[in-house]
Each structure stands twice: as C-alpha cells, then as structure tokens.
PDB file of all heavy atoms in Angstrom:
ATOM      1  N   SER A   1      -7.836  -5.994  10.504  1.00  0.00           N
ATOM      2  CA  SER A   1      -9.046  -6.784  10.786  1.00  0.00           C
ATOM      3  C   SER A   1      -9.602  -6.530  12.246  1.00  0.00           C
ATOM      4  O   SER A   1     -10.791  -6.551  12.377  1.00  0.00           O
ATOM      5  CB  SER A   1      -8.683  -8.302  10.814  1.00  0.00           C
ATOM      6  OG  SER A   1      -7.568  -8.619  11.631  1.00  0.00           O
ATOM      7  N   ILE A   2      -8.737  -6.134  13.093  1.00  0.00           N
ATOM      8  CA  ILE A   2      -9.228  -5.866  14.512  1.00  0.00           C
ATOM      9  C   ILE A   2      -9.267  -4.431  14.882  1.00  0.00           C
ATOM     10  O   ILE A   2     -10.367  -3.755  15.386  1.00  0.00           O
ATOM     11  CB  ILE A   2      -8.486  -6.472  15.587  1.00  0.00           C
ATOM     12  CG1 ILE A   2      -8.587  -8.125  15.440  1.00  0.00           C
ATOM     13  CG2 ILE A   2      -8.778  -6.125  17.083  1.00  0.00           C
ATOM     14  CD1 ILE A   2      -7.885  -8.956  16.375  1.00  0.00           C
ATOM     15  N   THR A   3      -8.291  -3.634  14.595  1.00  0.00           N
ATOM     16  CA  THR A   3      -8.250  -2.245  14.957  1.00  0.00           C
ATOM     17  C   THR A   3      -8.792  -1.314  13.763  1.00  0.00           C
ATOM     18  O   THR A   3      -8.956  -0.142  14.111  1.00  0.00           O
ATOM     19  CB  THR A   3      -6.769  -1.865  15.148  1.00  0.00           C
ATOM     20  OG1 THR A   3      -5.980  -2.113  13.907  1.00  0.00           O
ATOM     21  CG2 THR A   3      -6.245  -2.514  16.399  1.00  0.00           C
ATOM     22  N   GLY A   4      -9.231  -1.845  12.674  1.00  0.00           N
ATOM     23  CA  GLY A   4      -9.847  -1.166  11.670  1.00  0.00           C
ATOM     24  C   GLY A   4      -8.936  -0.136  11.030  1.00  0.00           C
ATOM     25  O   GLY A   4      -7.737  -0.446  10.797  1.00  0.00           O
ATOM     26  N   ASN A   5      -9.497   0.953  10.446  1.00  0.00           N
ATOM     27  CA  ASN A   5      -8.640   1.963   9.727  1.00  0.00           C
ATOM     28  C   ASN A   5      -7.924   2.971  10.691  1.00  0.00           C
ATOM     29  O   ASN A   5      -8.628   3.265  11.727  1.00  0.00           O
ATOM     30  CB  ASN A   5      -9.635   2.833   8.823  1.00  0.00           C
ATOM     31  CG  ASN A   5     -10.338   1.871   7.820  1.00  0.00           C
ATOM     32  OD1 ASN A   5      -9.642   0.882   7.368  1.00  0.00           O
ATOM     33  ND2 ASN A   5     -11.382   2.354   7.334  1.00  0.00           N
ATOM     34  N   ALA A   6      -6.783   3.172  10.533  1.00  0.00           N
ATOM     35  CA  ALA A   6      -5.940   4.190  11.211  1.00  0.00           C
ATOM     36  C   ALA A   6      -5.033   4.965  10.476  1.00  0.00           C
ATOM     37  O   ALA A   6      -4.577   4.511   9.542  1.00  0.00           O
ATOM     38  CB  ALA A   6      -5.276   3.298  12.397  1.00  0.00           C
ATOM     39  N   LYS A   7      -4.772   6.159  11.004  1.00  0.00           N
ATOM     40  CA  LYS A   7      -3.707   6.981  10.331  1.00  0.00           C
ATOM     41  C   LYS A   7      -2.734   7.369  11.492  1.00  0.00           C
ATOM     42  O   LYS A   7      -3.151   7.816  12.524  1.00  0.00           O
ATOM     43  CB  LYS A   7      -4.288   8.118   9.695  1.00  0.00           C
ATOM     44  CG  LYS A   7      -5.173   7.894   8.487  1.00  0.00           C
ATOM     45  CD  LYS A   7      -5.912   9.084   7.840  1.00  0.00           C
ATOM     46  CE  LYS A   7      -6.666   8.778   6.769  1.00  0.00           C
ATOM     47  NZ  LYS A   7      -5.926   8.501   5.364  1.00  0.00           N
ATOM     48  N   TYR A   8      -1.450   7.307  11.227  1.00  0.00           N
ATOM     49  CA  TYR A   8      -0.384   7.717  11.925  1.00  0.00           C
ATOM     50  C   TYR A   8       0.885   7.742  11.344  1.00  0.00           C
ATOM     51  O   TYR A   8       0.932   7.644  10.104  1.00  0.00           O
ATOM     52  CB  TYR A   8      -0.286   6.699  13.281  1.00  0.00           C
ATOM     53  CG  TYR A   8       0.009   5.245  12.782  1.00  0.00           C
ATOM     54  CD1 TYR A   8       1.237   4.739  12.756  1.00  0.00           C
ATOM     55  CD2 TYR A   8      -1.139   4.396  12.464  1.00  0.00           C
ATOM     56  CE1 TYR A   8       1.455   3.357  12.194  1.00  0.00           C
ATOM     57  CE2 TYR A   8      -1.039   3.192  12.073  1.00  0.00           C
ATOM     58  CZ  TYR A   8       0.371   2.589  12.019  1.00  0.00           C
ATOM     59  OH  TYR A   8       0.457   1.318  11.481  1.00  0.00           O
ATOM     60  N   THR A   9       1.915   8.112  11.986  1.00  0.00           N
ATOM     61  CA  THR A   9       3.304   8.100  11.408  1.00  0.00           C
ATOM     62  C   THR A   9       4.123   7.175  11.999  1.00  0.00           C
ATOM     63  O   THR A   9       4.225   6.863  13.142  1.00  0.00           O
ATOM     64  CB  THR A   9       3.954   9.634  11.453  1.00  0.00           C
ATOM     65  OG1 THR A   9       4.154   9.970  12.853  1.00  0.00           O
ATOM     66  CG2 THR A   9       3.088  10.657  10.789  1.00  0.00           C
ATOM     67  N   VAL A  10       5.315   6.807  11.127  1.00  0.00           N
ATOM     68  CA  VAL A  10       6.368   5.880  11.608  1.00  0.00           C
ATOM     69  C   VAL A  10       7.597   6.426  10.997  1.00  0.00           C
ATOM     70  O   VAL A  10       7.508   7.295  10.211  1.00  0.00           O
ATOM     71  CB  VAL A  10       6.293   4.363  11.112  1.00  0.00           C
ATOM     72  CG1 VAL A  10       4.886   3.751  11.725  1.00  0.00           C
ATOM     73  CG2 VAL A  10       6.132   4.320   9.658  1.00  0.00           C
ATOM     74  N   ASN A  11       8.679   6.057  11.603  1.00  0.00           N
ATOM     75  CA  ASN A  11      10.067   6.354  11.195  1.00  0.00           C
ATOM     76  C   ASN A  11      10.758   5.246  10.878  1.00  0.00           C
ATOM     77  O   ASN A  11      10.924   4.336  11.758  1.00  0.00           O
ATOM     78  CB  ASN A  11      10.690   7.408  12.145  1.00  0.00           C
ATOM     79  CG  ASN A  11      11.950   7.877  11.663  1.00  0.00           C
ATOM     80  OD1 ASN A  11      12.117   8.381  10.619  1.00  0.00           O
ATOM     81  ND2 ASN A  11      13.032   7.891  12.402  1.00  0.00           N
ATOM     82  N   ILE A  12      11.343   4.991   9.811  1.00  0.00           N
ATOM     83  CA  ILE A  12      12.366   4.051   9.352  1.00  0.00           C
ATOM     84  C   ILE A  12      13.665   4.579   9.491  1.00  0.00           C
ATOM     85  O   ILE A  12      14.053   5.626   8.790  1.00  0.00           O
ATOM     86  CB  ILE A  12      11.985   3.455   8.101  1.00  0.00           C
ATOM     87  CG1 ILE A  12      10.537   2.731   7.996  1.00  0.00           C
ATOM     88  CG2 ILE A  12      13.064   2.274   7.702  1.00  0.00           C
ATOM     89  CD1 ILE A  12      10.272   2.090   6.719  1.00  0.00           C
ATOM     90  N   TYR A  13      14.551   3.877  10.221  1.00  0.00           N
ATOM     91  CA  TYR A  13      15.848   4.468  10.411  1.00  0.00           C
ATOM     92  C   TYR A  13      16.942   3.231  10.558  1.00  0.00           C
ATOM     93  O   TYR A  13      16.532   2.184  10.628  1.00  0.00           O
ATOM     94  CB  TYR A  13      15.981   5.297  11.760  1.00  0.00           C
ATOM     95  CG  TYR A  13      15.598   4.567  12.952  1.00  0.00           C
ATOM     96  CD1 TYR A  13      16.768   4.005  13.761  1.00  0.00           C
ATOM     97  CD2 TYR A  13      14.416   4.175  13.427  1.00  0.00           C
ATOM     98  CE1 TYR A  13      16.516   3.280  14.897  1.00  0.00           C
ATOM     99  CE2 TYR A  13      14.126   3.540  14.530  1.00  0.00           C
ATOM    100  CZ  TYR A  13      15.174   2.976  15.345  1.00  0.00           C
ATOM    101  OH  TYR A  13      14.884   2.340  16.444  1.00  0.00           O
ATOM    102  N   ALA A  14      18.230   3.602  10.364  1.00  0.00           N
ATOM    103  CA  ALA A  14      19.371   2.594  10.450  1.00  0.00           C
ATOM    104  C   ALA A  14      20.201   3.081  11.674  1.00  0.00           C
ATOM    105  O   ALA A  14      20.370   4.165  11.947  1.00  0.00           O
ATOM    106  CB  ALA A  14      20.124   2.645   9.212  1.00  0.00           C
ATOM    107  N   VAL A  15      20.652   2.017  12.273  1.00  0.00           N
ATOM    108  CA  VAL A  15      21.631   2.318  13.455  1.00  0.00           C
ATOM    109  C   VAL A  15      22.922   1.640  13.344  1.00  0.00           C
ATOM    110  O   VAL A  15      23.772   1.834  14.151  1.00  0.00           O
ATOM    111  CB  VAL A  15      21.041   1.807  14.767  1.00  0.00           C
ATOM    112  CG1 VAL A  15      19.705   2.693  15.076  1.00  0.00           C
ATOM    113  CG2 VAL A  15      20.544   0.360  14.773  1.00  0.00           C
ATOM    114  N   ASP A  16      23.251   0.773  12.299  1.00  0.00           N
ATOM    115  CA  ASP A  16      24.484   0.185  12.221  1.00  0.00           C
ATOM    116  C   ASP A  16      24.898  -0.077  10.788  1.00  0.00           C
ATOM    117  O   ASP A  16      24.392   0.633   9.858  1.00  0.00           O
ATOM    118  CB  ASP A  16      24.574  -1.179  12.859  1.00  0.00           C
ATOM    119  CG  ASP A  16      23.481  -2.209  12.302  1.00  0.00           C
ATOM    120  OD1 ASP A  16      23.099  -2.048  11.181  1.00  0.00           O
ATOM    121  OD2 ASP A  16      23.029  -3.084  13.135  1.00  0.00           O
ATOM    122  N   THR A  17      25.994  -0.678  10.543  1.00  0.00           N
ATOM    123  CA  THR A  17      26.564  -0.794   9.111  1.00  0.00           C
ATOM    124  C   THR A  17      25.869  -1.878   8.418  1.00  0.00           C
ATOM    125  O   THR A  17      26.369  -2.110   7.348  1.00  0.00           O
ATOM    126  CB  THR A  17      28.079  -1.001   9.198  1.00  0.00           C
ATOM    127  OG1 THR A  17      28.315  -2.088   9.999  1.00  0.00           O
ATOM    128  CG2 THR A  17      28.797   0.137   9.838  1.00  0.00           C
ATOM    129  N   ASN A  18      24.981  -2.622   8.890  1.00  0.00           N
ATOM    130  CA  ASN A  18      24.329  -3.730   8.174  1.00  0.00           C
ATOM    131  C   ASN A  18      23.403  -3.098   7.101  1.00  0.00           C
ATOM    132  O   ASN A  18      22.237  -2.539   7.546  1.00  0.00           O
ATOM    133  CB  ASN A  18      23.577  -4.596   9.121  1.00  0.00           C
ATOM    134  CG  ASN A  18      22.907  -5.755   8.362  1.00  0.00           C
ATOM    135  OD1 ASN A  18      22.747  -5.721   7.243  1.00  0.00           O
ATOM    136  ND2 ASN A  18      22.440  -6.751   9.219  1.00  0.00           N
ATOM    137  N   VAL A  19      23.860  -2.942   5.880  1.00  0.00           N
ATOM    138  CA  VAL A  19      23.080  -2.378   4.820  1.00  0.00           C
ATOM    139  C   VAL A  19      21.668  -3.052   4.538  1.00  0.00           C
ATOM    140  O   VAL A  19      20.970  -2.780   3.674  1.00  0.00           O
ATOM    141  CB  VAL A  19      23.876  -2.129   3.559  1.00  0.00           C
ATOM    142  CG1 VAL A  19      24.945  -1.117   3.909  1.00  0.00           C
ATOM    143  CG2 VAL A  19      24.286  -3.388   2.988  1.00  0.00           C
ATOM    144  N   MET A  20      21.519  -4.243   5.098  1.00  0.00           N
ATOM    145  CA  MET A  20      20.306  -5.060   4.886  1.00  0.00           C
ATOM    146  C   MET A  20      19.248  -4.879   5.950  1.00  0.00           C
ATOM    147  O   MET A  20      18.252  -5.421   5.823  1.00  0.00           O
ATOM    148  CB  MET A  20      20.667  -6.420   4.663  1.00  0.00           C
ATOM    149  CG  MET A  20      21.775  -6.786   3.696  1.00  0.00           C
ATOM    150  SD  MET A  20      21.349  -6.635   2.065  1.00  0.00           S
ATOM    151  CE  MET A  20      20.478  -8.075   1.733  1.00  0.00           C
ATOM    152  N   GLN A  21      19.454  -4.137   7.000  1.00  0.00           N
ATOM    153  CA  GLN A  21      18.510  -3.979   8.058  1.00  0.00           C
ATOM    154  C   GLN A  21      18.082  -2.599   8.303  1.00  0.00           C
ATOM    155  O   GLN A  21      19.024  -1.635   8.175  1.00  0.00           O
ATOM    156  CB  GLN A  21      19.280  -4.544   9.282  1.00  0.00           C
ATOM    157  CG  GLN A  21      18.294  -4.540  10.564  1.00  0.00           C
ATOM    158  CD  GLN A  21      18.868  -5.314  11.687  1.00  0.00           C
ATOM    159  OE1 GLN A  21      20.147  -5.324  11.883  1.00  0.00           O
ATOM    160  NE2 GLN A  21      18.047  -5.952  12.529  1.00  0.00           N
ATOM    161  N   VAL A  22      16.802  -2.390   8.753  1.00  0.00           N
ATOM    162  CA  VAL A  22      16.279  -1.107   9.166  1.00  0.00           C
ATOM    163  C   VAL A  22      15.522  -1.350  10.378  1.00  0.00           C
ATOM    164  O   VAL A  22      15.195  -2.523  10.798  1.00  0.00           O
ATOM    165  CB  VAL A  22      15.492  -0.465   8.141  1.00  0.00           C
ATOM    166  CG1 VAL A  22      16.367   0.013   6.971  1.00  0.00           C
ATOM    167  CG2 VAL A  22      14.422  -1.242   7.703  1.00  0.00           C
ATOM    168  N   PHE A  23      15.189  -0.243  11.048  1.00  0.00           N
ATOM    169  CA  PHE A  23      14.328  -0.363  12.354  1.00  0.00           C
ATOM    170  C   PHE A  23      13.162   0.573  12.090  1.00  0.00           C
ATOM    171  O   PHE A  23      13.193   1.616  11.413  1.00  0.00           O
ATOM    172  CB  PHE A  23      15.137   0.038  13.492  1.00  0.00           C
ATOM    173  CG  PHE A  23      16.107  -0.894  13.853  1.00  0.00           C
ATOM    174  CD1 PHE A  23      17.565  -0.733  13.327  1.00  0.00           C
ATOM    175  CD2 PHE A  23      15.919  -2.044  14.552  1.00  0.00           C
ATOM    176  CE1 PHE A  23      18.520  -1.624  13.548  1.00  0.00           C
ATOM    177  CE2 PHE A  23      16.917  -2.987  14.902  1.00  0.00           C
ATOM    178  CZ  PHE A  23      18.292  -2.755  14.281  1.00  0.00           C
ATOM    179  N   ILE A  24      12.030   0.164  12.606  1.00  0.00           N
ATOM    180  CA  ILE A  24      10.687   0.977  12.479  1.00  0.00           C
ATOM    181  C   ILE A  24      10.240   1.489  13.806  1.00  0.00           C
ATOM    182  O   ILE A  24       9.818   0.632  14.671  1.00  0.00           O
ATOM    183  CB  ILE A  24       9.590   0.245  11.712  1.00  0.00           C
ATOM    184  CG1 ILE A  24      10.226  -0.358  10.371  1.00  0.00           C
ATOM    185  CG2 ILE A  24       8.423   1.071  11.505  1.00  0.00           C
ATOM    186  CD1 ILE A  24       9.301  -1.425   9.764  1.00  0.00           C
ATOM    187  N   ALA A  25      10.296   2.703  14.037  1.00  0.00           N
ATOM    188  CA  ALA A  25       9.693   3.315  15.218  1.00  0.00           C
ATOM    189  C   ALA A  25       8.317   3.570  15.196  1.00  0.00           C
ATOM    190  O   ALA A  25       7.803   4.082  14.064  1.00  0.00           O
ATOM    191  CB  ALA A  25      10.457   4.569  15.625  1.00  0.00           C
ATOM    192  N   ASN A  26       7.412   3.360  16.232  1.00  0.00           N
ATOM    193  CA  ASN A  26       5.885   3.576  16.387  1.00  0.00           C
ATOM    194  C   ASN A  26       5.219   2.654  15.372  1.00  0.00           C
ATOM    195  O   ASN A  26       4.229   2.955  14.857  1.00  0.00           O
ATOM    196  CB  ASN A  26       5.560   5.059  16.042  1.00  0.00           C
ATOM    197  CG  ASN A  26       4.262   5.350  16.511  1.00  0.00           C
ATOM    198  OD1 ASN A  26       3.841   5.104  17.596  1.00  0.00           O
ATOM    199  ND2 ASN A  26       3.579   6.175  15.690  1.00  0.00           N
ATOM    200  N   PHE A  27       5.730   1.449  15.190  1.00  0.00           N
ATOM    201  CA  PHE A  27       4.992   0.531  14.405  1.00  0.00           C
ATOM    202  C   PHE A  27       3.659   0.198  14.837  1.00  0.00           C
ATOM    203  O   PHE A  27       3.447  -0.052  16.012  1.00  0.00           O
ATOM    204  CB  PHE A  27       5.782  -0.798  14.193  1.00  0.00           C
ATOM    205  CG  PHE A  27       5.391  -1.761  13.309  1.00  0.00           C
ATOM    206  CD1 PHE A  27       5.690  -1.707  11.990  1.00  0.00           C
ATOM    207  CD2 PHE A  27       4.409  -2.740  13.451  1.00  0.00           C
ATOM    208  CE1 PHE A  27       5.304  -2.494  10.941  1.00  0.00           C
ATOM    209  CE2 PHE A  27       3.880  -3.446  12.499  1.00  0.00           C
ATOM    210  CZ  PHE A  27       4.334  -3.520  11.267  1.00  0.00           C
ATOM    211  N   ASN A  28       2.596   0.258  13.993  1.00  0.00           N
ATOM    212  CA  ASN A  28       1.232   0.137  14.195  1.00  0.00           C
ATOM    213  C   ASN A  28       0.761   1.097  15.279  1.00  0.00           C
ATOM    214  O   ASN A  28      -0.385   0.871  15.846  1.00  0.00           O
ATOM    215  CB  ASN A  28       1.017  -1.320  14.659  1.00  0.00           C
ATOM    216  CG  ASN A  28      -0.598  -1.664  14.581  1.00  0.00           C
ATOM    217  OD1 ASN A  28      -1.098  -1.997  15.549  1.00  0.00           O
ATOM    218  ND2 ASN A  28      -1.082  -1.711  13.401  1.00  0.00           N
ATOM    219  N   ASN A  29       1.387   2.235  15.475  1.00  0.00           N
ATOM    220  CA  ASN A  29       1.136   3.112  16.453  1.00  0.00           C
ATOM    221  C   ASN A  29       0.813   2.688  17.778  1.00  0.00           C
ATOM    222  O   ASN A  29      -0.016   2.987  18.663  1.00  0.00           O
ATOM    223  CB  ASN A  29      -0.080   3.952  16.042  1.00  0.00           C
ATOM    224  CG  ASN A  29      -0.352   5.319  16.676  1.00  0.00           C
ATOM    225  OD1 ASN A  29       0.729   5.906  17.021  1.00  0.00           O
ATOM    226  ND2 ASN A  29      -1.529   5.756  16.867  1.00  0.00           N
ATOM    227  N   ASP A  30       1.623   1.459  18.047  1.00  0.00           N
ATOM    228  CA  ASP A  30       1.293   0.683  19.272  1.00  0.00           C
ATOM    229  C   ASP A  30       2.694   0.192  20.013  1.00  0.00           C
ATOM    230  O   ASP A  30       2.673   0.207  21.246  1.00  0.00           O
ATOM    231  CB  ASP A  30       0.458  -0.519  18.812  1.00  0.00           C
ATOM    232  CG  ASP A  30      -0.060  -1.296  20.075  1.00  0.00           C
ATOM    233  OD1 ASP A  30      -0.247  -0.752  21.090  1.00  0.00           O
ATOM    234  OD2 ASP A  30      -0.130  -2.513  19.843  1.00  0.00           O
ATOM    235  N   PHE A  31       3.588  -0.191  19.280  1.00  0.00           N
ATOM    236  CA  PHE A  31       4.755  -1.003  19.895  1.00  0.00           C
ATOM    237  C   PHE A  31       5.769   0.322  20.499  1.00  0.00           C
ATOM    238  O   PHE A  31       5.940   1.196  19.904  1.00  0.00           O
ATOM    239  CB  PHE A  31       5.559  -1.662  18.874  1.00  0.00           C
ATOM    240  CG  PHE A  31       4.912  -3.009  18.713  1.00  0.00           C
ATOM    241  CD1 PHE A  31       4.135  -3.259  17.493  1.00  0.00           C
ATOM    242  CD2 PHE A  31       4.968  -4.056  19.565  1.00  0.00           C
ATOM    243  CE1 PHE A  31       3.539  -4.356  17.151  1.00  0.00           C
ATOM    244  CE2 PHE A  31       4.339  -5.326  19.259  1.00  0.00           C
ATOM    245  CZ  PHE A  31       3.569  -5.449  18.024  1.00  0.00           C
ATOM    246  N   SER A  32       6.161   0.033  21.745  1.00  0.00           N
ATOM    247  CA  SER A  32       7.077   0.900  22.524  1.00  0.00           C
ATOM    248  C   SER A  32       8.468   0.837  21.772  1.00  0.00           C
ATOM    249  O   SER A  32       9.153   1.801  21.569  1.00  0.00           O
ATOM    250  CB  SER A  32       7.223   0.596  23.921  1.00  0.00           C
ATOM    251  OG  SER A  32       5.923   0.805  24.535  1.00  0.00           O
ATOM    252  N   ASN A  33       8.837  -0.399  21.595  1.00  0.00           N
ATOM    253  CA  ASN A  33      10.146  -0.587  20.950  1.00  0.00           C
ATOM    254  C   ASN A  33      10.136  -0.618  19.468  1.00  0.00           C
ATOM    255  O   ASN A  33       9.058  -0.960  18.915  1.00  0.00           O
ATOM    256  CB  ASN A  33      10.936  -1.969  21.545  1.00  0.00           C
ATOM    257  CG  ASN A  33      11.084  -1.849  23.013  1.00  0.00           C
ATOM    258  OD1 ASN A  33      11.849  -0.765  23.447  1.00  0.00           O
ATOM    259  ND2 ASN A  33      10.775  -2.726  23.800  1.00  0.00           N
ATOM    260  N   SER A  34      11.246  -0.382  18.892  1.00  0.00           N
ATOM    261  CA  SER A  34      11.221  -0.625  17.460  1.00  0.00           C
ATOM    262  C   SER A  34      11.178  -1.971  16.888  1.00  0.00           C
ATOM    263  O   SER A  34      11.604  -2.864  17.511  1.00  0.00           O
ATOM    264  CB  SER A  34      12.546   0.180  16.825  1.00  0.00           C
ATOM    265  OG  SER A  34      12.514   1.473  17.099  1.00  0.00           O
TER     266      SER A  34
END
C-alpha cells in the first residue's frame, strides 16, 4: 500500500533444532535483522 510494487530476493533459513521455526533475511528488502 505505501511502497507499491517491488522485486527483490529473500532467504529463508534455519539456525536451530526447532523444526517449527525459520528466519527470513532481507525481509521487505528493508530490515537489517532477520
């Protein structure tokens, strides 16, 4: 609604043994932390 159309890449990764959790790097092409 504010930033309009955008194209970029993200990476979904796992860092621990919690099989129910993932982390997303580069979310919205904006956040520094996952």
Side-chain angles (χ1 to χ4, degrees):
S1 60
I2 293 177
T3 55
N5 297 330
K7 293 183 184 278
Y8 56 94
T9 60
V10 298
N11 186 46
I12 298 180
Y13 63 98
V15 295
D16 59 27
T17 58
N18 182 346
V19 295
M20 308 287 281
Q21 184 175 32
V22 295
F23 296 90
I24 307 167
N26 196 40
F27 191 86
N28 195 244
N29 203 32
D30 188 31
F31 287 98
S32 298
N33 293 313
S34 294

